[in-house]
Amino acid sequence: MAYRSVYDLGAVRSEFEKTGISSRFIAHVWKYAIQNPNIEIDFDGVPSLPSAAYPLLRSKFRSSTSTLDSISESDDNVTSKLLIRLQDGAFVEAVVMRYDTRLGRYAGKPRPGGPRSTLCISSQVGCKMGCKFCATGSMGFKRNLSSGEIVEQLVHASRISHIRNVVFMGMGEPLNNYAALIEAVQIMTGFPFQLSPKRITISTVGIIHALNKLQDDLPNVNLAVSLHAPVQDIRCQIMPAARAFPLEKLMDTLVSYQRNSKQKIFIEYIMLDGVNDEEQQAHQLGKLLQTLEVVVNLIPFNPIGITNQFRTSNKQNVQMFQSILRSFYGIRTTIRKQMGQDISGACGQLVVNIPPKGSVSSADLITDIEDLRI
Ligand code: SAH
Ligand code: SF4
């Protein structure tokens, strides 16, 4: 029998309601579950629940429906890739980036209480958006994660590092799993996790109808949009989903999103040699973004093995792109750093081909996103 995760809030709440138990007890169960990794089945130790809650929890829920199958550490110990096995045998990956980007008087010194980390998490097994440069896209769509399965990635990661930021840049398109995304973020920002919404970033290809709702459902979270091209035809070539979500409409959506949120929007732009990295395209991008308040992250393409269709742009082109955006259009533009190339699991290029234990490949570190939180 399949059990629900105790972090599947809607499911726990409705079971509690049926039995006349107040939902205010749920967060207490979570607090206990986080502190006691071994309870799994037996909720008996959770203090002060109404007596009917114990058999109910035991019969229908587990404090963890997923298990941490393996951890791959990068050589520099900055990046850890968590391979997580879900209840039905599917795997997802989450990446912990322990990179202390503090400036000022603590720069370079160990942080009291250990480093604060950024966790990159998955929202789906596979993805149906089919972006041509993305390993996850090549898997096709397998299934959505439940809110509990999303939150469990944070629970697993919190056991190895103090997580300060969460970015939805792992496997899957978070806005295609909307209800679970909203519930998971609401759990993460409430007791006992208490992450600041300002430290949560949702990265999307731009699912227009979902973006129109996101603001009301999750005010104050950060939005990152995977734009990757300044014009519709290039976008369609590399991102088939762009046909359903035309660039012009997407830009209108972002303008009204920003009008309401008053927050800057992060724009992700993967640098592909000869595809979207020419001078003219930098100007097109600058003009396109001029009316918005954005930070552009230029992302070197990580080769993904399944295709040799793309190469990353050379350094000069990336720098040229950055300086055009900065100097002609005044757009804050960062170049994504790549680190921990020795372990598999760059955010956004995750594909789970279960590796033989101990075998590892590449990861990149999104310190640019982390930098912006400081
Ligand atoms: N589906 C969402 C979130 C996951 S992908 C999205 O597309 O935004 C997270 C980021 O990684 C996206 O910006 C994505 O375009 C990028 N990415 C995907 N494949 C990549 C690759 N091979 N190299 C570098 N970045 C990649
Ligand atoms: Fe899906 Fe994002 Fe990969 Fe595109 S880049 S296939 S949306 S995970």
Side-chain angles (χ1 to χ4, degrees), residues 12-23 25 50 52-53 56:
V12 186
R13 193 188 276 142
S14 86
E15 289 296 335
F16 270 27
E17 267 165 20
K18 275 194 243 162
T19 324
I21 303 168
S22 162
S23 50
F25 289 108
L56 173 63

Side-chain angles (χ1 to χ4, degrees), residues 127 129-131 133-134 136-137 172-173 205:
C127 181
M129 298 288 91
C131 302
F133 47 78
C134 174
T136 305
E173 168 49 52
V205 284

Side-chain angles (χ1 to χ4, degrees), residues 11-206:
V12 186
R13 193 188 276 142
S14 86
E15 289 296 335
F16 270 27
E17 267 165 20
K18 275 194 243 162
T19 324
I21 303 168
S22 162
S23 50
R24 77 189 157 85
F25 289 108
I26 299 171
H28 296 283
V29 178
W30 293 341
K31 183 165 185 242
Y32 186 86
I34 292 163
Q35 287 167 349
N36 298 274
N38 301 322
I39 61 167
E40 236 173 87
I41 304 170
D42 185 1
F43 291 91
D44 288 356
V46 186
S48 320
L49 295 181
S51 56
Y54 295 100
L56 173 63
L57 286 170
R58 213 176 302 128
S59 64
K60 301 218 150 101
F61 296 95
R62 289 292 175 266
S63 64
S64 191
T65 56
S66 60
T67 48
L68 184 53
D69 184 85
S70 61
I71 305 181
S72 312
E73 296 285 345
S74 62
D75 289 342
D76 55 9
N77 276 327
V78 168
T79 314
S80 308
K81 187 191 72 173
L82 281 54
L83 182 62
I84 293 168
R85 186 179 195 278
L86 306 175
Q87 194 172 192
D88 63 356
F91 285 84
V92 287
E93 291 174 326
V95 182
V96 174
M97 292 155 282
R98 258 178 250 96
Y99 186 70
D100 214 335
T101 51
R102 286 169 314 148
L103 307 166
R105 73 192 166 107
Y106 288 118
K109 296 185 192 146
R111 178 190 283 277
R116 307 288 166 85
S117 308
T118 294
L119 173 66
C120 171
I121 54 181
S122 297
S123 55
Q124 299 181 314
V125 183
C127 181
K128 61 174 155 224
M129 298 288 91
C131 302
K132 302 245 168 80
F133 47 78
C134 174
T136 305
S138 75
M139 287 172 73
F141 174 67
K142 302 284 192 284
R143 74 170 173 88
N144 279 329
L145 298 192
S146 73
S147 56
E149 288 170 325
I150 296 173
V151 174
E152 284 182 24
Q153 295 171 65
L154 173 61
V155 175
H156 290 300
S158 299
R159 301 217 159 99
I160 63 165
S161 191
H162 180 113
I163 305 298
R164 185 176 59 163
N165 303 308
V166 169
V167 296
F168 283 81
M169 293 189 184
M171 296 170 72
E173 168 49 52
L175 295 191
N176 279 346
N177 185 12
Y178 193 78
L181 169 77
I182 302 302
E183 190 168 275
V185 173
Q186 283 166 347
I187 295 171
M188 289 174 184
T189 52
F191 181 82
F193 295 97
Q194 279 165 326
L195 286 180
S196 160
K198 296 200 177 96
R199 296 190 179 281
I200 296 180
T201 301
I202 294 167
S203 175
T204 176
V205 284

Side-chain angles (χ1 to χ4, degrees), residues 173-278:
E173 168 49 52
L175 295 191
N176 279 346
N177 185 12
Y178 193 78
L181 169 77
I182 302 302
E183 190 168 275
V185 173
Q186 283 166 347
I187 295 171
M188 289 174 184
T189 52
F191 181 82
F193 295 97
Q194 279 165 326
L195 286 180
S196 160
K198 296 200 177 96
R199 296 190 179 281
I200 296 180
T201 301
I202 294 167
S203 175
T204 176
V205 284
I207 313 292
I208 291 174
H209 52 270
L211 279 170
N212 287 332
K213 290 195 287 176
L214 187 64
Q215 193 129 61
D216 290 333
D217 291 326
L218 294 179
N220 301 321
V221 296
N222 292 296
L223 179 65
V225 178
S226 295
L227 205 61
H228 303 325
V231 290
Q232 172 71 357
D233 66 336
I234 303 179
R235 220 173 170 246
C236 286
Q237 271 169 39
I238 58 177
M239 305 168 78
R243 275 183 226 118
F245 307 110
L247 187 58
E248 209 177 310
K249 276 202 180 144
L250 176 58
M251 294 314 293
D252 291 345
T253 307
L254 296 182
V255 168
S256 55
Y257 185 97
Q258 187 155 66
R259 199 179 301 128
N260 299 327
S261 78
K262 314 267 184 284
Q263 281 172 265
K264 57 182 179 280
I265 295 173
F266 299 97
I267 300 291
E268 294 160 282
Y269 195 98
I270 190 166
M271 297 295 294
L272 301 170
D273 183 43
V275 176
N276 63 357
D277 68 341
E278 282 155 27

